[in-house]
Amino acid sequence: MHRVTREVALWCAIAFLAGVPRLARLDFLLTNPEAATALVSLTVLRGEPALFPNPLFGWLQALLFTVFGASEVSARLVAALSGVVLCLLPVALRLQLGRTRALIFAALLAFSPTLWFVSREMGGAILAWMLAFAAHCAWRARRPALAAAAFGALLATGQDAIPPLIVTVLASSAALPLDAVRPSARTVAIVLLAFVLSATALLMRPTGLGDAFNGYALWAQTRGGDASISVGRLMLGLVISEPVIWLGAAFALAAFARMRAQLRAESAWWIWIAAGLGVLIVSAGRSAALLAPLTIGMAGLASAAYDALLASAQRWGSWRREGVVVAIAFVLLIYASLGVWQYAGQARSAWLASAVVAALLIAALVAAGSLTMDYGAPLRGVALAGVAALSLYTFGVGIQMNHARPHNPAEPYRVQAADLDLMTLQEDIRLISVRATGEPNALDVHLAEDAPAALQWVLRDRRRFDALEDAGAPDVVLTPAAEKPRVAGNFIGTAYAVTAQAPLNEVRCVGLPWGGGDCWSLARWLAFRDAETTHANLWVLWLRDDVARRASGMR
C-alpha cells in the first residue's frame, strides 16, 4: 500500500481550493456575451444550422446541455473545469522549477481573482488558454507528444485560438528551442489528429473543421462592441486585484537583474507577459480572458521570488524570531487596511492616519530587530506578513467579484451585467401564464428581434418565441422601452431592467473651487466597487388586456 506523501496531499489541497470557488454557485444570470454563445449551442442542439466560432467549446457545451439540460450551471461548466485544470498544470514543471516552486505557482494561479473570474465567465477563451498553457508545460517537460495533442486541441478552439497560439509558440520557443526536442512526423500527425477530432466532436460533426477556420477569420475581423473592455480598465483591474502576483514578479525582476543566467532561465515567463501585453493592445474585442497570459507569466516569476523567500526563512530563520515579527506586522497591516477601508466608507481622511501609524510601527519593529546586527530576520518577517496580508486581500477581492456581487457592473472586468430584474421578469411571465391559463408556459411570447442575448436566454424555454413583426395578437410582447407593440390589440406595459453598465468615467478625483480634491467616488469604488452612474437597459413587458384581466381574476 502506497503512502500519500505530503506533496501529493498539498496538490490535492490546491485542486480542492481551485475547484470549490470556481464550481460553486454557477447559477447566476448570463451576461449578453455569455448568453450569445450559449444560444448558439442551444440552436445546434435543436437541430438548426449554426456556426460555432469555437467548435471545441461549442460541442462540449452542447453535450452538457444534452446531459444536464440548458441552464446557467451547464453553460458555465466547461469554462469552470478548464480553469481548475489550468491551476494544476504547474505539476508538469516540478522537475524544471522545483517541487516547492511548482506548488507556489499553482497556488498563485488558484487564488488569482483574474483567472477565477474568467473561469466563471462562460466562454471558450479560458479553454483555449488552458490548452495553450498545457502545451507549453508539456513542451518544457520534453513531452512532445502531449504538447502536440494540446496544440492540436488548441487549434480547434477557432476564434479563441489566435492569442493563445501566438503567446505559447513564442514562450515555448524561448523555453526550449525546436532543435532541443526535434519534432518528428509523428508529432505533426498527432497535432493534425487532435485538431480534427477536437473540432469535429470525434468526427460526429464534420462541419466543425470549417467552423474552426471561419473562427480564425472572425478573430481578424472582430471589432470592439458594447462588450469590449478598454485596455486601461483591464490593466486597472489587474493592478488592484493581483498585488500578490505583480509585486512578486517585481521582486523577481530586481533579484534576477544582476544574474544573467537566471534571467535567461526565466525568459519564457517574460515572453508570456510581453506577448500577452502585445496581444491585449492589438486585439479589438477585449475581455478579461486576454489578461490570462500576463497573469500566468507574472505568477511564474512571482513563484521564484516567494520560493526564495521561503527557502531563506527555512535556512536562516527561526520560528521564534520570524514568528513574532510576522504576527505583529500582520496585525499592523490589517489595522492599516481596516482604517483605509473605514475611510472609504465614511469619507473621513482622519482614518488614513492608521496607515501612517502602522508604517511607523513596522519600521520601529524592523529597527528593533536589527539591533543584533541581523537584518534578515525582521525583514523576512515583515515580507512574510506582507505576503499573508496581500493574500488575504486578494482572496477577498475574488470573493467579492465572483460570489458576493456577480451582477455588479462596476467590477473592473465586467462592462455589462445581467440585471436581477430578468429573474423577476421570468417569474412574472410564469405566474401570469398560470393565473390566465392554468399552465406555466402556455402564453405566446413575442420578442423584438434586437432583444439582448441575456433576455433571449432567459426566455429560451417559452413555448413560442417569435419576432415582433409576426401577424396576430400575441399574449405577451417584449419591446425596448422607447417602442410600443406593432401588433393588433390593446396592451398594458411594465418596464424591467434587462442589463446594466457602469462606465466608471466618474470614478476619479475632481478639483474643488476652494482648492483640494474630492476623491469620494474613487474611494467608494476602490473599497466597495460602487459607481455613482449605472446605465440600465429597460425593456417593457406588454400584456394583452384580456390576458391581464384573466390573470387578475376578472373574466
Side-chain angles (χ1 to χ4, degrees):
M1 182 176 180
H2 296 283
R3 292 179 56 191
V4 176
T5 64
R6 181 173 60 179
E7 183 185 5
V8 172
L10 288 173
W11 280 109
C12 291
I14 290 176
F16 177 79
L17 295 174
V20 169
R22 284 166 173 78
L23 297 172
R25 298 185 63 185
L26 291 173
D27 56 348
F28 58 98
L29 292 170
L30 299 186
T31 62
N32 276 331
E34 292 178 292
T37 303
L39 287 171
V40 174
S41 299
L42 198 57
T43 299
V44 171
L45 189 62
R46 290 170 175 169
E48 303 173 16
L51 176 68
F52 279 138
N54 183 332
L56 176 57
F57 179 83
W59 72 260
L60 286 175
Q61 188 177 66
L63 176 63
L64 290 176
F65 284 172
T66 303
V67 176
F68 301 109
S71 67
E72 283 76 9
V73 175
S74 57
R76 291 190 170 100
L77 196 55
V78 174
L81 292 174
S82 299
V84 175
V85 173
L86 188 148
C87 296
L88 299 177
L89 287 175
V91 71
L93 301 176
R94 291 168 60 250
L95 299 180
Q96 288 73 28
L97 302 180
R99 296 180 178 181
T100 303
R101 182 178 172 185
L103 283 165
I104 295 173
F105 193 180
L108 291 174
L109 296 178
F111 287 106
S112 165
T114 302
L115 297 180
W116 190 348
F117 176 86
V118 176
S119 300
R120 292 172 59 83
E121 191 81 355
M122 187 274 292
I126 187 62
L127 174 62
W129 284 111
M130 183 273 291
L131 292 170
F133 190 40
H136 175 78
C137 293
W139 183 259
R140 292 188 64 170
R142 297 180 182 270
R143 303 293 296 273
L146 292 178
F151 191 81
L154 172 61
L155 292 175
T157 57
Q159 184 177 7
D160 296 316
I162 304 301
L165 190 66
I166 295 172
V167 175
T168 192
V169 167
L170 294 175
S172 299
S173 300
L176 200 62
L178 288 175
D179 55 2
V181 179
R182 297 180 182 177
S184 61
R186 175 173 173 267
T187 304
V188 176
I190 292 175
V191 171
L192 295 177
L193 181 62
F195 169 58
V196 172
L197 293 178
S198 300
T200 61
L202 304 179
L203 303 180
M204 291 186 294
R205 192 175 183 273
T207 57
L209 289 175
D211 291 352
F213 287 105
N214 186 70
Y216 306 151
L218 285 176
W219 181 84
Q221 299 169 3
T222 299
R223 293 294 179 266
D226 292 338
S228 183
I229 310 179
S230 66
V231 175
R233 183 163 178 168
L234 288 173
M235 294 306 296
L236 174 64
L238 190 68
V239 170
I240 65 175
S241 302
E242 305 284 0
V244 174
I245 290 178
W246 63 259
L247 281 174
F251 279 117
L253 173 61
F256 299 154
R258 300 180 181 179
M259 301 159 45
R260 294 185 178 180
Q262 187 68 29
L263 199 61
R264 285 194 297 270
E266 305 294 335
S267 60
W269 306 124
W270 297 114
I271 292 178
W272 272 90
I273 298 172
L277 185 59
V279 169
L280 175 66
I281 293 173
V282 302
S283 296
R286 301 185 188 91
S287 67
L290 286 176
L291 293 176
L294 280 75
T295 305
I296 292 172
M298 288 191 295
L301 292 174
S303 64
Y306 296 137
D307 184 34
L309 177 61
L310 288 178
S312 176
Q314 292 175 351
R315 183 176 181 182
W316 304 107
S318 67
W319 287 110
R320 178 176 299 178
R321 290 182 302 173
E322 271 81 345
V324 172
V325 176
V326 168
I328 297 175
F330 181 77
V331 171
L332 292 174
L333 289 172
I334 295 299
Y335 162 73
S337 302
L338 292 177
V340 174
W341 190 284
Q342 188 73 6
Y343 156 72
Q346 299 185 2
R348 294 173 54 193
S349 58
W351 284 98
L352 286 175
S354 61
V356 177
V357 172
L360 293 175
L361 290 176
I362 290 174
L365 181 65
V366 172
S370 303
L371 293 178
T372 60
M373 302 303 294
D374 181 9
Y375 296 95
L379 291 177
R380 280 194 301 268
V382 172
L384 290 170
V387 172
L390 288 176
S391 299
L392 183 62
Y393 162 80
T394 301
F395 182 72
V397 169
I399 289 291
Q400 176 173 305
M401 183 188 302
N402 296 288
H403 289 275
R405 303 177 69 184
H407 299 293
N408 180 23
E411 293 291 345
Y413 297 150
R414 185 177 285 112
V415 170
Q416 285 189 0
D419 198 280
L420 292 176
D421 270 8
L422 272 174
M423 299 176 64
T424 305
L425 171 63
Q426 185 182 38
E427 183 62 18
D428 285 351
I429 293 177
R430 190 190 70 81
L431 290 176
I432 291 171
S433 180
V434 170
R435 291 173 180 173
T437 67
E439 299 180 11
N441 296 312
L443 294 180
D444 295 335
V445 179
H446 283 218
L447 190 66
E449 290 182 343
D450 58 347
L455 179 57
Q456 296 182 40
W457 171 260
V458 166
L459 299 178
R460 64 191 180 278
D461 294 328
R462 304 307 306 171
R463 192 178 71 173
R464 184 173 180 183
F465 189 79
D466 247 328
L468 180 62
E469 287 76 10
D470 284 359
D475 299 325
V476 177
V477 178
L478 285 159
T479 68
E483 297 183 13
K484 293 184 178 180
R486 296 191 295 272
V487 290
N490 297 319
F491 291 84
I492 302 171
T494 304
Y496 294 84
V498 174
T499 59
Q501 291 182 322
L504 304 187
N505 295 328
E506 78 287 350
V507 179
R508 62 182 185 274
C509 294
V510 295
L512 297 174
W514 51 86
D518 179 11
C519 297
W520 165 245
S521 61
L522 177 61
R524 290 285 300 177
W525 184 80
L526 288 173
F528 307 111
R529 303 294 186 268
D530 286 343
E532 296 178 1
T533 304
T534 301
H535 306 298
N537 181 9
L538 296 178
W539 278 62
V540 178
L541 170 68
W542 297 96
L543 193 62
R544 205 176 62 213
D545 53 0
D546 61 311
V547 177
R549 287 195 298 271
R550 293 201 306 271
S552 62
M554 300 173 59
R555 299 295 177 182

